[in-house]
Amino acid sequence: YCLDAATGKVKWRNFVAGRDQAEIIYLKDNAVQGDAYADCLLTEPSEGKLSRIAASDGSTVWGLNFGGPILDPFVDRNVLYISDRNGRVSCIDVESGAVRWSQQIPQAITAGTNVGNLRESLFAVGENSNIYSLAKRNGECNSVFYLGHEPG
């Protein structure tokens, strides 16, 4: 549901019942320009779907299907980074939904990607003992850190 903040009346609703683990991420918190970023992202992790929903009327601005389960996306200004359980990490343009780059790591990923302190790299936790450092600008693998953790 989208409610009018002044009146409390329903402006629109987007039916998500039955969608396992659907989650909403508000883009206004990551705003870099204008009201367009009052939109939100709707993730359906088990379905592998990610959509941008227009705040004005609840319509789908763009939608992507990753073909398998996805993990929590990380929004960084005008891009978002998302990974799937099969080891693919992708950079998506928030405005258009276009894939800027996609990188396959050689093992399954068990948690959503996130950025490091210097904000130049992404980190993806591999299922079997490794953390992968990827360049945010192009997805190139900078390094791999062996941790020796148990699978999963």
Side-chain angles (χ1 to χ4, degrees):
Y1 288 90
C2 177
L3 304 176
D4 184 300
T7 66
K9 291 186 179 184
V10 175
K11 290 177 67 173
W12 54 262
R13 73 180 186 115
N14 191 322
F15 185 72
V16 294
R19 296 182 185 173
D20 184 32
Q21 303 171 354
E23 183 179 338
I24 295 173
I25 299 167
Y26 295 97
L27 294 174
K28 190 164 182 79
D29 294 340
N30 299 285
V32 291
Q33 57 182 326
D35 286 338
Y37 287 87
D39 293 354
C40 65
L41 297 174
L42 173 65
T43 64
E44 299 175 67
S46 62
E47 299 295 319
K49 295 179 181 177
L50 173 70
S51 304
R52 179 175 174 168
I53 306 299
S56 60
D57 62 5
S59 64
T60 300
V61 176
W62 53 258
L64 298 171
N65 188 332
F66 290 86
I70 56 174
L71 300 159
D72 291 338
F74 176 78
V75 180
D76 187 13
R77 298 181 187 234
N78 61 345
V79 296
L80 69 92
Y81 302 96
I82 191 163
S83 53
D84 66 28
R85 295 196 182 276
N86 294 323
R88 182 176 47 173
V89 179
S90 300
C91 176
I92 312 295
D93 182 277
V94 170
E95 187 68 31
S96 67
V99 177
R100 289 190 178 182
W101 56 257
S102 188
Q103 179 73 282
Q104 181 71 43
I105 66 168
Q107 53 182 263
I109 298 176
T110 59
T113 55
N114 213 321
V115 297
N117 287 342
L118 299 177
R119 303 190 61 80
E120 295 175 5
S121 297
L122 294 170
F123 295 96
V125 179
E127 182 178 53
N128 192 17
S129 305
N130 295 327
I131 292 183
Y132 296 83
S133 171
L134 307 174
K136 285 174 51 179
R137 69 184 178 285
N138 61 11
E140 186 176 301
C141 186
N142 295 326
S143 53
V144 180
F145 303 97
Y146 177 74
L147 299 178
H149 64 269
E150 294 292 322

